[in-house]
Every structure is written in structure tokens, then in C-alpha cells.
């Protein structure tokens, strides 16, 4: 039903707890006939994550490896109840796209914080483009409110395959509710692997099964067609004052 052409949530050894190089990742993407990959390394607050200088050095990052187009992103953590992010404005402008998320290794706020309000405020940042693993039961939010805000701010909601395979247990039913809410409100989804080893790149069958179970429309999945994907990536770059 769905054919996903690019994977925008991939971690290399630069993230400190992943196991493959960019070249190894691109090779697997080529074998799986992907057209695009996006390296979304963690920010400097994640243990083992790259220092800010990594994001300053984007000029050395390849735009293409063989026939695979490569995008330079980041998975940016929310640090506290003030919606502080672990990358600053200049770094956010240098990357091609920004994914926002909560992680227990990084979040410094109260355990029972108002995660909905924190996330709604963070979504107002123009350099944030994608909300990662929203269905994580550790960080409960009001899904209709977050989806509404995402649509208002032109953000994309991720369905993260790793949440169903490796981590964030209990996410499946939450993500099903999220997909139904996005469908109802007319928002957009991106399907990702959240790969930490090269063989996981392009692995999102569990996410596709979930979307199929709610009859989610293909035309609202941004990485299900080249035209849609390019349109969204161009919009992410335009916010940063450049094109590709």
C-alpha cells in the first residue's frame, strides 16, 4: 500500500550510542532502493552525543553518496519545563531539518511535568520540523491539541518504527490514536526507522502496518512520494534561508 522512499531519522556513530558510519548507512539505503536518507544525530546534551562544533561543520557533510541524496539533520532534545532546546538558534539554522523529542537521559524537569504545554511552546520554534516518537507513554500529552498545533505551525508528526521494536514500550496503541487524530485533522506524517545500526535503515514495516490499520491516506505521508518529499524538504530549507 505504501512505498517509502526516504528515511529521515537515522543515527550514525556520531551520536555515541549507534554503530554504523555514514558510508555504511548509505550503502544499506542503496541496497534497499531508497532515494534519500537523513542523518539526525542527537544534540550535545545526550550522553555521548556530538559537541556543537559537529553541527557547525556541516560544510564537510556529503550532499550525495553514490545515488543517495543525504540530508543533514538533528534530533534536538527538550531540556526542561521552559521548553529549552539543546541546540541554539545558529546551529538550528545550519542543519537541513530539526526533529524534536524528549529523552529520560536528558530531560531535567519534573517527572510529572505538563508535557503538553512544554511541547506546544517548543513547536513555535520555526527551525523545528518534525515531532519524534510522540506516542512514548513516558511523556503523556493531549494528542488532539498537539496535532492541532503541529498543523498550525507546519510541523510533521513521526511514526517511529523503533518505538515498536526496541524501545518506548506501550507506544503502539498511542501511535494508533495519533495516526487517527492526524488523519482526522488533516495533518502530515513521516515514517522513520530511528536506525542505530545500518541494517535497520529503511525498516518501518511495523509503522506501515499501523498506518494501514487506520487506512491512513498515502498523500499525507511526506516520504511516500518524491514530489511530496521534495516539497517538504524545500520548505524546511526555505525557513533557513537556503535552497538545495
Amino acid at each position: 500500500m505504501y512505498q517509502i522512499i526516504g528515511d529521515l531519522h537515522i543515527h550514525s556513530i556520531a551520536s555515541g550510542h549507534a554503530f554504523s558510519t555514514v558510508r555504511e548507512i548509505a550503502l544499506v539505503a542503496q541496497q534497499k532502493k531508497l532515494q534519500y536518507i537523513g542523518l539526525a544525530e542527537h544534540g550535545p546534551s545526550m550522553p555521548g552525543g556530538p559537541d556543537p562544533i559537529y553541527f557547525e561543520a556541516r560544510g564537510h557533510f556529503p550532499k550525495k553518496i553514490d545515488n543517495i541524496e543525504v540530508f543533514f539533520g538533528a534530533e534536538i532534545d527538550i531540556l526542561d519545563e521552559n521548553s529549552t532546546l539543546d541546540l541554539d538558534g545558529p546551529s538550528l539554522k545550519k542543519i537541513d531539518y530539526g526533529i524534536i523529542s524528549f529523552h529520560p537521559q536528558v530531560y531535567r524537569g519534573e517527572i510529572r511535568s505538563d508535557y503538553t504545554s512544554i511541547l506546544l511552546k517548543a513547536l513555535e520554534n520555526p527551525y523545528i520540523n518534525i515531532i519524534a516518537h510522540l506516542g512514548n507513554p513516558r511523556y503523556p500529552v493531549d494528542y488532539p491539541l498537539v496535532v492541532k498545533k503541529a498543523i498550525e505551525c507546519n510541523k510533521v508528526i513521526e511514526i517511529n518504527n523503533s518505538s515498536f521494536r526496541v524501545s518506548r514500550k506501550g507506544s503502539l496503541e498511542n501511535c494508533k490514536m495519533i495516526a487517527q487524530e492526524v488523519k482526522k485533522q488533516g495533518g502530515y506524517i513521516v515514517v522513520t526507522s530511528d536506525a542505530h545500526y545500518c541494517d535497520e535503515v529503511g525498516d518501518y514495516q511495523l509503522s506501515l502496518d499501523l498506518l494501514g490499520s487506520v487506512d491512513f491516506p498515502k498523500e499525507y505521508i511526506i516520504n511516500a512520494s518524491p514530489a511530496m518529499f521534495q516539497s517538504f524538504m524545500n520548505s524546511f530549507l526555505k525557513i533557513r534561508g537556503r535552497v538545495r
Side-chain angles (χ1 to χ4, degrees):
M1 182 179 180
Y2 308 108
Q3 184 174 0
I4 306 302
I5 56 154
D7 191 348
L8 284 178
H9 193 158
I10 302 170
H11 296 282
S12 78
I13 54 175
S15 279
H17 60 279
F19 303 96
S20 302
T21 66
V22 175
R23 171 65 69 175
E24 289 167 338
I25 288 164
L27 178 61
V28 172
Q30 187 174 40
Q31 292 168 349
K32 294 186 178 181
K33 303 188 185 310
L34 298 184
Q35 297 178 37
Y36 313 94
I37 55 172
L39 276 292
E41 309 298 359
H42 286 283
S45 296
M46 178 63 71
D51 290 331
I53 194 171
Y54 168 87
F55 300 97
E56 297 293 319
R58 65 150 294 119
H60 297 283
F61 194 82
K63 293 183 178 179
K64 206 160 192 177
I65 299 177
D66 299 327
N67 64 335
I68 304 291
E69 193 166 358
V70 186
F71 290 91
F72 184 75
E75 184 175 6
I76 302 134
D77 265 280
I78 299 173
L79 299 180
D80 54 36
E81 292 167 318
N82 296 317
S83 306
T84 308
L85 304 181
D86 76 336
L87 282 181
D88 61 14
S91 294
L92 290 175
K93 193 171 182 180
K94 284 181 178 293
I95 60 179
D96 293 332
Y97 64 99
I99 299 176
I100 196 169
S101 61
F102 289 105
H103 286 95
Q105 298 90 343
V106 175
Y107 182 71
R108 303 170 187 155
E110 296 294 327
I111 293 175
R112 298 185 182 277
S113 296
D114 179 1
Y115 299 113
T116 298
S117 295
I118 295 167
L119 188 53
L120 293 178
K121 182 179 177 183
L123 289 176
E124 294 175 357
N125 188 310
Y127 300 126
I128 297 302
N129 310 110
I130 295 169
I131 311 169
H133 35 79
L134 184 61
N136 187 350
R138 182 187 285 265
Y139 304 104
V141 300
D142 184 321
Y143 297 137
L145 268 181
V146 171
V147 169
K148 182 175 184 288
K149 183 73 169 182
I151 293 170
E152 289 173 355
C153 297
N154 299 313
K155 313 302 183 187
V156 178
I157 293 174
E158 174 197 70
I159 299 295
N160 181 306
N161 204 76
S162 180
S163 293
F164 315 136
R165 287 184 58 255
V166 179
S167 53
R168 298 178 288 273
K169 293 187 185 301
S171 295
L172 187 62
E173 285 305 312
N174 289 346
C175 287
K176 191 170 184 177
M177 288 189 286
I178 291 165
Q180 289 170 322
E181 191 62 40
V182 175
K183 178 183 175 182
K184 176 182 175 182
Q185 295 196 36
Y188 289 90
I189 273 175
V190 61
V191 177
T192 71
S193 68
D194 197 357
H196 285 65
Y197 176 63
C198 58
D199 285 353
E200 298 171 343
V201 172
D203 181 2
Y204 19 62
Q205 190 57 53
L206 296 174
S207 294
L208 297 181
D209 291 344
L210 182 151
L211 293 175
S213 74
V214 300
D215 197 24
F216 194 87
K218 176 184 175 181
E219 58 268 27
Y220 287 90
I221 303 173
I222 73 165
N223 52 341
S225 81
M228 177 74 76
F229 185 83
Q230 281 297 151
S231 175
F232 270 88
M233 295 310 299
N234 287 340
S235 72
F236 298 164
L237 292 170
K238 187 176 180 181
I239 290 167
R240 293 166 165 84
R242 64 181 192 274
V243 294
R244 185 167 179 178

